[in-house]
Amino acid sequence: MAEAEQRQTMDGNLLAAKSLAQFGVEHMFGVVGIPVTSFANRAVSLGIRFIAFHNEQSAGYAASAYGYLTHRPGVLLTVSGPGCVHGLAGLSNAMINTWPMVLISGSCDQNDVGRGDFQELDQIEAVKPFSKFSIKAKHVSEIPNAVAQVLRWSTSGRPGGCYLDIPSDLLHQTVTIAEAEKLLSAAETLFTNTTPGTHASDIEKTVSLLRNAKRPLIVFGKGAAYSRAENELKKLVESTGIPFLPTPMGKGLISDTHELAATAARSLAIGKCDVAFVIGARLNWLLHFGEAPKWSKDVVFILVDISEEEIELRKKSVNVGAGLVGDAKCVLESVNKAIKDEPFCLGKSHPWVEELKKKVKDNVVRLEAQLAKDVVPFNFYTPLRIIRDAILAEGSPAPVVVSEGANTMDVGRAVLVQTEPRTRLDAGTWGTMGIGLGYCIAAAVASPERLVVAVEGDSGFGFSAMEVETLVRYQLPVVVIVFNNGGVYGGDRRSPEEIDGPHKHDPAPTSFVPGAAYHTLIEAFGGKGYLVGTPEELKSALLESFSARKPAVINVIIDPYAGSESGRLQHKN
């Protein structure tokens, strides 16, 4: 019997699938074909759920967001050559947002490299600018170790994208069952990630700076969300009375409705604070690089980041009073402990707190007055108010909101309210368009207890619209709301002098077909579509689709002249 077991073998497809399963992978995203179809089927047979997409770009965006939402690497599987290239969109998105993701691509037979083989590409070289680690397995026996390495590297230190190349000949090579078990056991020893510790002196300096600040501000981003630091953040805010400002995807770590939320007074908060405690957020364009005139020229920053290099980079351009290297949750636990030993609190009557609260109140009153009007044909504010109220009515667990587009995302950032952690996904650090349906699918898979609501411009929707079939195929609880204003920013916005030349009668570069029936796209696959143009129609569609928790597209007709060109964050408060 022992001899028979020794003679039993498994091929590279099964060994790769077993490696993923043994090392904790529960979901994969991708597009199959030669040479990875059997690999995907083997993975499914071992209990891994494979979500098959129409396009590797959307599948890659799903894998990247899955890594953020679950704190585990999202895995994307593609074919060789162009499949790998298409997957780079998701891999680079994971890198720039610092989310754990692994791209696995098949590649041509090693014996045919350089001969013009089917879909031949030096994929290791192609992925280098977009990954923190890449490896090519060169023999079937190397597969478990290679899988373990990319999974470990994706989450170690600053998370990011990693790449594994599996040549087609490896997938057909075999090893004995006994040898496979030894290889899997040996590879498992690689899972020993460590988190850098913060020096006690840095914690003391941080507490001293906060204690002695006249106008302190706590700023947190999606790095804090990734580390699950919401409880520690809330404890810090409520024990010290320091106002807070989330970045767009930091919204919800502490509810937007909290009395110390300064989002509605953002310009005042960052313009006048004298000490800014920045947790899991980089001083990039989203935070105006920490520089004047948006920030005070005298502001002192306390930076919490998993990457020491990030902190050292910012020291070159801003005044960093303390740099705390480590996981945000762990760092905040130490800060809170130090504050508990010698407590301090600004109090509700502190001049800084009162000044911000007054500004917040004034700006909220102004916004609510604008939102109170039912404007038809729709502007952006009226439907966003109705959507906001419908989402809040869902209670807990709060729906995940996926926001994509120009005006749709920018106005939605001010109007939509996040009350729970990791319930907002948007274009992120790169301002990436095309993430919408991929993010929706990732959220539905990662958080099956939550409804997913996408609020998208028609241009953003177009990047991944075909994936509504994927929603229907897997019956995911996703409602896609398309703000249809006839194009990028709102159709033809050209000035008379721009309408010239031999092709002046062509549609404008920003124009789409007016009144496009986007809702019928999902109906072609058996989903539910709605066409709405009034408040009553929108309320009815939201009530019905939210209750059904089935794939739906709501086509909201927007006045094409309601929007404006958008790109960077615009804050007028």
Side-chain angles (χ1 to χ4, degrees):
M1 184 70 177
E3 277 186 45
E5 288 182 355
Q6 287 292 328
R7 289 196 299 270
Q8 288 181 332
T9 62
M10 69 171 70
D11 66 6
N13 289 296
L14 181 55
L15 184 58
K18 273 187 172 291
S19 300
L20 290 173
Q22 182 159 323
F23 304 150
V25 173
E26 297 177 357
H27 295 92
M28 294 172 69
F29 308 87
V31 179
V32 299
I34 297 171
V36 297
T37 304
S38 181
F39 176 14
N41 288 333
R42 288 292 196 172
V44 173
S45 72
L46 293 173
I48 296 173
R49 191 181 190 194
F50 190 93
I51 308 296
F53 281 69
H54 288 270
N55 180 285
E56 293 96 344
Q57 185 179 27
S58 291
Y61 290 143
S64 67
Y66 179 91
Y68 167 68
L69 292 168
T70 65
H71 209 263
R72 301 192 302 273
V75 178
L76 168 64
L77 180 65
T78 80
V79 300
S80 48
C84 176
V85 170
H86 293 165
L88 295 181
L91 191 68
S92 57
N93 191 63
M95 278 299 294
I96 202 71
N97 284 291
T98 69
W99 296 340
M101 175 187 160
V102 170
L103 166 60
I104 303 176
S105 295
S107 60
C108 71
D109 189 306
Q110 293 177 96
N111 294 320
D112 293 325
V113 170
R115 302 174 63 197
D117 195 22
F118 175 68
Q119 295 187 335
E120 181 180 345
L121 175 69
D122 185 345
Q123 292 165 197
I124 289 289
E125 195 63 31
V127 304
K128 276 185 180 177
F130 311 107
S131 60
K132 62 183 288 191
F133 174 78
S134 58
I135 187 171
K136 181 173 185 173
K138 297 180 180 178
H139 187 271
V140 65
S141 62
E142 297 178 8
I143 288 177
N145 184 279
V147 170
Q149 285 199 64
V150 289
L151 292 173
R152 180 178 65 87
W153 271 94
S154 70
T155 57
S156 65
R158 168 172 277 183
C162 294
Y163 174 69
L164 170 59
D165 190 290
I166 306 182
S168 59
D169 50 305
L170 265 63
L171 294 171
H172 302 291
Q173 291 175 3
T174 60
V175 292
T176 65
I177 301 293
E179 185 180 0
E181 293 304 323
K182 289 179 183 178
L183 293 169
L184 289 165
S185 178
E188 200 155 19
T189 62
L190 291 173
F191 288 91
T192 54
N193 284 348
T194 58
T195 301
T198 300
H199 296 297
S201 59
D202 295 322
I203 298 293
E204 292 170 7
K205 188 184 294 185
T206 295
V207 174
S208 176
L209 284 167
L210 293 173
R211 185 191 309 278
N212 295 309
K214 292 182 172 60
R215 296 178 301 281
L217 180 68
I218 295 171
V219 180
F220 51 83
K222 60 180 179 290
Y226 174 78
S227 76
R228 282 23 184 196
E230 52 267 22
N231 293 333
E232 290 73 20
L233 268 172
K234 189 174 183 182
K235 183 177 180 180
L236 174 66
V237 166
E238 295 184 345
S239 66
T240 62
I242 298 175
F244 67 88
L245 177 71
T247 64
M249 280 182 60
K251 283 164 65 70
L253 281 177
I254 304 175
S255 175
D256 287 346
T257 61
H258 194 283
E259 62 178 352
L260 288 170
T263 304
R266 185 181 191 273
S267 296
L268 174 64
I270 68 174
K272 291 188 71 173
C273 70
D274 59 352
V275 173
F277 191 10
V278 182
I279 304 158
R282 287 169 283 176
L283 294 179
N284 54 24
W285 69 276
L286 285 161
L287 288 173
H288 313 290
F289 308 105
E291 297 173 346
K294 295 291 187 179
W295 295 82
S296 165
K297 61 182 177 61
D298 299 317
V299 64
V300 176
F301 288 99
I302 305 166
L303 303 182
V304 178
D305 200 284
I306 195 71
S307 167
E308 184 174 5
E309 289 78 10
E310 173 66 26
I311 294 173
E312 292 302 316
L313 171 66
R314 302 306 167 184
K315 285 180 178 179
K316 297 175 182 177
S317 56
V318 299
N319 182 4
V320 178
L324 308 178
V325 180
D327 173 77
K329 180 182 174 73
C330 296
V331 170
L332 287 178
E333 286 174 349
S334 298
V335 171
N336 283 329
K337 185 177 184 300
I339 290 173
K340 184 179 179 181
D341 293 339
E342 294 184 62
F344 68 92
C345 185
L346 297 189
K348 294 183 179 180
S349 61
H350 190 281
W352 175 235
V353 175
E354 287 191 330
E355 183 179 5
L356 284 174
K357 281 187 176 180
K358 181 180 184 304
K359 187 66 173 176
V360 166
K361 182 179 179 181
D362 290 346
N363 286 338
V364 167
V365 167
R366 191 178 302 114
L367 176 63
E368 288 300 323
Q370 190 171 7
L371 290 171
K373 304 170 187 174
D374 277 344
V375 178
V376 181
F378 278 147
N379 60 10
F380 285 87
Y381 287 94
T382 297
L384 280 167
R385 181 204 77 218
I386 295 169
I387 294 164
R388 177 197 67 184
D389 294 345
I391 289 172
L392 288 173
E394 288 294 297
S396 185
V400 175
V401 174
V402 176
S403 186
E404 176 183 27
N407 294 280
T408 308
M409 185 173 66
D410 287 348
V411 179
R413 189 184 300 112
V415 176
L416 301 178
V417 175
Q418 258 60 57
T419 59
E420 294 180 6
R422 292 167 296 282
T423 55
R424 177 181 173 85
L425 298 170
D426 63 23
T429 305
W430 241 4
T432 308
M433 292 296 105
I435 48 87
L437 270 293
Y439 278 17
C440 286
I441 293 166
V445 169
S447 305
E449 75 283 3
R450 296 185 188 271
L451 176 69
V452 180
V453 181
V455 185
E456 306 220 314
D458 49 0
S459 176
F461 176 65
F463 281 84
S464 58
M466 194 61 185
E467 301 302 343
V468 298
E469 187 276 336
T470 309
L471 299 181
V472 175
R473 189 173 2 119
Y474 291 98
Q475 283 296 294
L476 300 175
V478 177
V479 177
V480 181
I481 305 168
V482 181
F483 277 45
N484 182 355
N485 62 352
V488 181
Y489 310 125
D492 194 344
R493 297 296 188 83
R494 292 175 294 177
S495 62
E497 55 269 24
E498 289 177 314
I499 305 175
D500 203 354
H503 305 293
K504 65 182 179 181
H505 297 298
D506 273 0
T510 53
S511 291
F512 296 153
V513 172
Y518 294 119
H519 58 292
T520 64
L521 180 61
I522 198 167
E523 291 175 344
F525 305 112
K528 180 68 175 178
Y530 302 84
L531 175 65
V532 304
T534 68
E536 292 73 24
E537 290 171 346
L538 178 55
K539 289 175 185 177
S540 175
L542 291 170
L543 179 63
E544 183 177 309
S545 61
F546 283 16
S547 298
R549 297 179 72 87
K550 297 287 185 181
V553 171
I554 302 176
N555 185 7
V556 183
I557 303 301
I558 304 291
D559 182 348
Y561 297 100
S564 60
E565 187 164 356
S566 172
R568 286 181 177 268
L569 288 173
Q570 301 296 321
H571 295 279
K572 298 183 175 69
N573 50 41

